[in-house]
Amino acid sequence: MRILYKVFVVMMAFVMLLPSFAHASWDDSTKPGWDDEEARKGWIQSKIQHMTLEEKVGQLFMVHVYGKTPTDPNYEDTNLSRNRGAKNFKEMIEKYHIGGVIYFNWTANIGTPIDFEQVNALSNGLQEIAMDQRMPIPLMVATDQEGGVVARVTEPATVFPGNMALGATRSTDYARQSSEIMGMELMSLGINMDLAPVLDVNVNPENPVIGVRSYSENPDLVADMGAAQVEGYQKENVMATAKHFPGHGDTNVDSHYGLPIINHDLETLHEVDLKPFKAAIDAGIDAIMPAHIVVPALDDSGLPATLSKPILTDLLREEMGFDGVIITDSLGMSGANVVPAGRVPVEAFKAGADILLNPPNVPLAYNAMLDAVKSGEISEKRLDESVFRILETKFKRGLFHEAGVSPDAIENIGLDENLALADQMTEDSITLVKNEDVLPLTSEKSVFVTGPSIGSPGMLANLLGERGITADAYASSTSPSSTQIANAVEQAADFETVIVTTYTANTNSAQQRLVSELKAADKEVVVASMRNPYDIMAFPEVDANVLTYGFRDVSVEALAKVLTGEVNPTGKLPVTIPELYPYGHGLSY
């Protein structure tokens, strides 16, 4: 009996040690090459087998954290009070084993103007922390760098005019070159994932959230431009993310603040909305982001695509054959919150998502997922499938071989030749829609520039002055007050020609009143549409209309060149302006 008892004690001791053996520190020294698919998959599966449940669940989350450094003491209270569940990046990684982070300007991760050294050091610091954990797994470091109106990395980096401007050039070469340059510059900062390109087909002039973020209303042009940008990003080893599946182009509701419904039938969905996503899949895209939109033809439950198994699993995975990573749009947006907050990440995951982006309450979301797996609501097999896709994508982009980036890489940002190419693309995109012999401007006429400050009327007046045009400016708010409108009309009295820098004026009655009162004052009125191309729908009687598709400095500079005839406009409308101008319209001097 004594011998049996000793044997029993030894066996029990061995059993108690099994967990520590099973989850022993992982050895990354025998990583296979990417081309050896069988070895790669075996290596990843073995790594997953050594991960704890908490580590696996953590890989599903991509979150934002406030701070300029991994342990920035200036934002500890902010992080804790805003439900980050950790006081800084370092604690977030250690506590939740997160798979990725997302940088924003408003979280102080990226400044405006950008400090290249700071962002590069932040990224490298985060990767060092991640690779120093018990289970070393590199981070996806993401941001929204679409170009144009949505760009986190701006001057002195290379700034591009945006998707619809590229659409106006009709050049897939420009699309590919712009994403290659953006990809290179992002990688130089240690940002290895871009939540771009936008593949929505913008067919609704009242779309408040997509608009110029789309290349066009033409699904074939969107497909061609999008596939070219996917190739450009991923050539630089930046994970590209097509958004917003199955298509956010035909809505007049912003999913940040509401829940849009897309009432396209199945034929329209396949011929229009889904076509660019299929092209991206064929181009080998790494990730696809579903939208917080309801599409009754695909799922009549009333749930947004983010939470829809028929859309994410049945359509995207099985019918369209996408085997990459599905990453949700921000889970803090109103369009996602149609179920209790703690259920949103669980239901998105059950629908087919892999990465849960930006939950508003990190501890709540993480523990909800952990509890769902522990209770059996989500099987560990299903969890492992998503973790595998995430790790494989990281492996594919070389992160397991080298997670960091040299500080010297920032020397590749804002190169003269790239800035010149961005200028050329922008100049080629400027579209002259209407011209009643007002343009180009000549030195014989004095010019007054007014409009919302976001359209940079002061900068435009200065650029005109540099080209010999007598010009003055007055900036208003985006929705000009009655006092501002009166001031603009009064100041315009001494000038012959007025340029109004409008900003989505087709849906802004105050801007419409500004234009109409200037026109009533018997002035030559040139409308420079600094965002969406549809502004002229509200005041077709203006003397001229020029489209920039964006308000960045690069667009304002190109606009000045076109207004003065230094550049002859060649851009072609990528959309129809209903009842006024057809797709493909564009004048030259």
Side-chain angles (χ1 to χ4, degrees), residues 32-274:
W34 170 247
D35 292 335
D36 190 341
E37 182 176 357
E38 185 176 343
R40 179 186 76 249
K41 289 186 174 181
W43 185 85
I44 294 170
Q45 287 167 346
S46 180
K47 193 173 185 71
I48 291 172
Q49 290 172 3
H50 283 75
M51 294 172 69
T52 65
L53 182 60
E54 289 76 10
E55 288 167 340
K56 291 178 183 179
V57 169
Q59 280 300 301
L60 307 179
F61 285 94
M62 178 177 284
V63 302
H64 75 265
V65 179
Y66 294 81
K68 298 180 180 180
T69 69
T71 57
D72 195 333
N74 297 314
Y75 293 88
E76 291 182 0
D77 290 342
T78 301
N79 281 316
L80 293 173
S81 65
R82 298 188 182 180
N83 298 314
R84 300 300 82 205
K87 62 186 180 183
N88 54 39
F89 277 108
K90 183 174 186 291
E91 188 173 281
M92 178 71 74
I93 295 168
E94 294 172 344
K95 189 174 181 179
Y96 297 104
H97 322 287
I98 54 171
V101 297
I102 180 169
Y103 288 171
F104 294 104
N105 306 114
W106 48 269
T107 53
N109 312 142
I110 301 175
T112 306
I114 184 172
D115 180 338
F116 300 148
E117 289 86 355
Q118 173 261 318
V119 181
N120 175 282
L122 173 61
S123 300
N124 280 333
L126 297 183
Q127 295 291 12
E128 288 174 8
I129 294 167
M131 297 305 287
D132 194 41
Q133 300 305 297
R134 188 202 71 85
M135 180 57 65
I137 300 175
L139 295 166
M140 289 178 175
V141 180
T143 199
D144 296 280
Q145 188 72 2
E146 299 171 9
V149 299
V150 177
R152 313 301 183 200
V153 176
T154 55
E155 292 88 353
T158 308
V159 176
F160 291 94
N163 282 358
M164 193 167 283
L166 292 174
T169 72
R170 302 297 197 272
S171 172
T172 53
D173 286 339
Y174 278 172
R176 185 178 297 102
Q177 290 168 330
S178 65
S179 63
E180 283 183 16
I181 293 168
M182 284 191 285
M184 178 191 69
E185 295 192 349
L186 289 175
M187 280 299 290
S188 298
L189 298 168
I191 300 171
N192 52 49
M193 185 178 200
D194 194 5
L195 304 184
V198 172
L199 297 187
D200 303 309
V201 182
N202 199 82
V203 297
N204 190 333
E206 295 185 1
N207 195 323
V209 64
I210 304 301
V212 292
R213 297 168 67 193
S214 165
Y215 303 102
S216 175
E217 69 179 25
N218 183 319
D220 293 314
L221 181 59
V222 175
D224 291 344
M225 302 290 273
Q229 285 214 308
V230 169
E231 292 169 4
Y233 284 125
Q234 295 186 176
K235 178 183 177 184
E236 298 299 321
N237 263 338
V238 170
M239 303 168 222
T241 309
K243 59 188 188 185
H244 307 82
F245 186 85
H248 207 315
D250 189 8
T251 176
N252 59 3
V253 175
D254 185 341
S255 54
H256 290 84
Y257 310 109
L259 182 58
I261 300 175
I262 306 294
N263 284 311
H264 288 183
D265 58 26
L266 283 174
E267 181 179 0
T268 302
L269 286 164
H270 282 279
E271 290 299 317
V272 178
D273 303 89
L274 295 174

Side-chain angles (χ1 to χ4, degrees), residues 362-374:
V362 175
L364 178 66
Y366 177 84
N367 288 317
M369 281 298 300
L370 198 60
D371 290 344
V373 179
K374 288 180 177 178

